[in-house]
Amino acid sequence: MLCNGPVSDKVRKRVEAAMARLDYRPNLAARRLRSQHTDTIGLIVSDIRNPFFTAVSRAVEDEAYRNGMRVILCNTDENPDKEAMYLRLMQEERVTGVIFAPTRQMVASIDPQALGFPVVMIDRVSADAATDAVVLDNRRAAAQLVGHLLQQGYRDIGGLFGNTSNTGMERHAGFSEALQQAGLAAPARFVAPSVEAAEQAVLQWLAEPARPQALLVSNGVLLLGAVRALKSAGLHWPQDVALVGFDNEVWTDLLGDGLTVVEQPVNEIGRTAMAMLLERLDEPERSQRIVVLQGKLVVRGSSLTL
Amino acid sequence: MLCNGPVSDKVRKRVEAAMARLDYRPNLAARRLRSQHTDTIGLIVSDIRNPFFTAVSRAVEDEAYRNGMRVILCNTDENPDKEAMYLRLMQEERVTGVIFAPTRQMVASIDPQALGFPVVMIDRVSADAATDAVVLDNRRAAAQLVGHLLQQGYRDIGGLFGNTSNTGMERHAGFSEALQQAGLAAPARFVAPSVEAAEQAVLQWLAEPARPQALLVSNGVLLLGAVRALKSAGLHWPQDVALVGFDNEVWTDLLGDGLTVVEQPVNEIGRTAMAMLLERLDEPERSQRIVVLQGKLVVRGSSLTL
DNA sequence: GTGAAAGCGCTAACAA
DNA sequence: TTGTTAGCGCTTTCAC
C-alpha cells in the first residue's frame, strides 16, 4: 500500500499484517455509500459488436482503469426505451459520469442537470445538445469521399445512410452539399443500421435501371451489407459500381484491391471522451465543448478510375 | 412498481406520489451494502476486440440484464498480472460470480472457494480446473478440419496455434492426433495471440523450402494474420496453400471463394455460461460441470481440392 | 398493515 | 499520531 497517511510505521505494519492474515478486501459498496463517489462511469452504445464501438469501448476502458474508474457497459440496440432505462440505471448507480452514443430521438432531450451527472456524447451530436461531445467531422469526411469519387471521374453517385443516428444525417448533409456544389444530383437512401437492411437496399438499388456508378456507404456495418449485396449480385468494383465508405475495419483492405474508406480515430475518440469527462468533473461550470476530430481518407482499389 | 407487499393501496399511492415528486432513485450502493447481494457479475476476457469475445460478451450481457444483473467487463490482454488484479477487484466488488477466459498459467490456480464467488470458465479449461466451464470440443473441431483437408487430398498440413491459452493446446492435440492416425507428420508452430505475430510466422513458414500444402490456424485473430501473410506474399488459396481455421467471422465468406472454418456457437456459449453461473448460485454444492459444445464445420473454397 | 430501530462496512471528523 | 464516533441510504426485523 502506497497510502502514506499520518500513521507510524509500527501501526502500519500491524494493520498490514492483520489485512494479510484475514485476507481482507475492502467492500466497495460500503466505500461508495460513505464516500459519495462511485468512481464508476457508464458507457452506453448501440451494440458492442459494431467494431467501431468495440474499439472505442476498449479505449474508454483502458483510460478509465488507468484513472481508477470502472465502467458499466450498456447496449441499447438503437432503442430509445432501452436508452431511457439505462440512463435511469446510471442514476441509481450514482455514476460519476456517462459516455453516450445516443439515437437521434434522444440526442436533444439529454439534460445532464436533470440526470445528475455529466455526459459526453460520442459519435453522435446535434447543435442543440446540452453536453460535451467528441465527434468525427462527418460532413467533411463525407465530402472528402465525394470529392475523391468526383476526381476519379464518377458523376452518378448514390449514398446509403443509417436512419437512426444523427451521424447518418450529418454524413448525408456532407454528401449532398458536395454533390450540389458540383451541380450533380445526390440520390440518397436511408435504412435501419443493420447488415441485412443495407444488403437488401443495395441489392434493390443496383437492380434498378437508373443505378448509380458509385456508392457511398455511411458506416462499417452498412458497408458490410453493401459488400454482401455486390457479391451476391455478382457485381465487381470499381467496374460495375465503385464503393466507398466509413470505418477502416480489418477486412476492408483484404477484399480485392481494397475498399476506400474514411478511417475514424477510434482510440483517440475513446481517450478524448474519457478525458473530457474528467475535465468536466474538475470544472463543472465550464462551457460546453464539442471536439471535432478529423477522419483519414484511405484510398484503395474500390474507387479508382474505371 | 409491481412489488405488492403487505401495504394498503392508500399508503402505496402516497409513497408513489412522493417518489414521483422527489424524482427518487434508489441508491444501489446502499442497497448492495445492506442486502449483501450485488447482482453483479464479472466478465474477464483477454480482449473485447477479439470478435469471439465481443460476441460472447454481448450474449452474456443480454442474459445478465434479463436476470436483473449487471456485468463488469475486464480486458486482461492475456496478462496474468492483470488477471490477478481483476480477480481481486471482483472480490472487492463482492460480485455474485465471474465468467472468465483465463490464460494457461492461471487456469489451474483458480479456486472459487478462496475467491469467495463461483467461477464459470469459458473458451479455456483444463482437466485440473476446479470450476464449471463451457468450452468448444476443441480436439474434435481441429480433427474435423484435419479430416476435411485429408479428404480433399492434402497430406502436408501445418498447424499454427496461440501460445497463451489452453484452447490452443487442445486444438493442437486434436490436430496432432488426427494427423498421427493418418500416419502423417504434424508440424506445428506456436505464436503470441496477435495478428502481427501470426502474419510474421506464416510469412516465414511459407518462405521455407519445406512449406506445407495446407495450413490450419487456431483462431480468428491468427487467421486474419495468416490471410494478411498470404496476401502480402502474393500467394493464393487453395492453389498455393490451402487455409482452414476457427471462428466464422464476418469477413471469412467475403474473401475469394471463402475460408473454411469451424464456427463456434458464440451466443450459446455466452448464454450457457450465464445459465451455469445462475445454477451454481442456486446449488452451491452440486458437483463441477463442464459443458462441451460442438463447432460447426463451414466448408468454403479455401480448402477444396486443387 | 404500519412505524421504528438496528446495522451493513466503510470514511470523515473530531477528540485525546 | 491515534482511537472513537457518527452516519452514508438502504433492508430487515421486530413491535405495534
Side-chain angles (χ1 to χ4, degrees), chain A residues 53-302:
Chain A
F53 288 124
T54 316
V56 171
S57 296
R58 181 64 213 263
V60 167
E61 298 209 338
D62 284 353
E63 207 60 22
Y65 280 112
R66 196 194 320 288
N67 285 282
M69 313 210 123
R70 286 198 11 258
V71 4
I72 300 176
L73 177 66
C74 308
N75 297 288
T76 65
D77 294 317
E78 311 271 359
N79 175 346
D81 292 339
K82 282 198 186 180
E83 291 184 305
M85 188 199 87
Y86 282 125
L87 284 173
R88 198 184 172 101
L89 176 62
M90 295 305 105
Q91 294 185 295
E92 300 188 351
E93 292 281 358
R94 303 292 192 270
V95 292
T96 306
V98 160
I99 295 174
F100 187 18
T103 55
R104 215 146 44 94
Q105 288 109 301
M106 214 60 176
V107 69
S109 63
I110 297 298
D111 177 6
Q113 222 64 29
L115 250 19
F117 46 74
V119 174
V120 175
M121 291 191 184
I122 53 170
D123 185 44
R124 302 141 180 220
V125 230
S126 71
D128 46 356
T131 73
D132 292 325
V134 37
V135 286
L136 193 74
D137 190 341
N138 286 306
R139 296 173 109 93
R140 194 163 108 83
Q144 258 183 300
L145 284 171
V146 170
H148 168 70
L149 286 172
L150 291 174
Q151 190 198 319
Q152 293 294 313
Y154 296 96
R155 288 293 171 271
D156 209 354
I157 304 171
L160 185 70
F161 305 90
N163 63 11
T164 56
S165 76
N166 242 303
T167 307
M169 302 305 129
E170 293 270 306
R171 292 177 187 172
H172 173 244
F175 164 83
S176 289
E177 283 163 18
L179 282 170
Q180 258 161 30
Q181 259 172 30
L184 296 168
R189 304 208 173 168
F190 297 84
V191 294
S194 74
V195 175
E196 295 72 28
E199 180 171 359
Q200 207 178 326
V202 170
L203 222 38
Q204 195 182 316
W205 202 349
L206 295 185
E208 293 172 13
R211 82 172 190 218
Q213 300 173 294
L215 218 46
L216 178 153
V217 182
S218 178
N219 67 53
V221 172
L222 302 185
L223 189 57
L224 180 59
V227 167
R228 291 207 183 292
L230 293 205
K231 191 160 173 102
S232 77
L235 298 175
H236 299 275
W237 63 67
Q239 302 90 318
D240 299 313
V241 57
L243 192 59
V244 302
F246 282 78
D247 295 330
N248 192 18
E249 297 187 5
V250 291
W251 46 266
T252 49
D253 67 336
L254 259 26
L255 302 175
D257 296 323
L259 280 169
T260 294
V261 292
V262 168
E263 177 180 340
Q264 298 199 59
V266 283
N267 284 308
E268 199 182 344
I269 291 172
R271 273 187 285 118
T272 307
M274 192 65 212
M276 289 180 82
L277 198 52
L278 295 173
E279 285 168 24
R280 167 67 54 191
L281 292 166
D282 235 36
E283 272 189 85
E285 298 309 328
R286 77 190 293 168
S287 62
Q288 173 201 0
R289 287 198 317 171
I290 295 186
V291 171
V292 178
L293 266 23
Q294 292 302 324
K296 187 177 129 201
L297 180 65
V298 181
V299 175
R300 301 200 184 102
S302 69

Side-chain angles (χ1 to χ4, degrees), chain B residues 6-8 11 33-34 36:
Chain B
V7 234
S8 63
V11 177
L33 176 58
R34 174 64 237 227
Q36 304 286 56

Side-chain angles (χ1 to χ4, degrees), chain B residues 283-295:
Chain B
E283 274 189 82
E285 298 309 328
R286 76 189 296 169
S287 63
Q288 173 201 1
R289 289 197 314 171
I290 297 185
V291 171
V292 178
L293 267 22
Q294 293 303 323

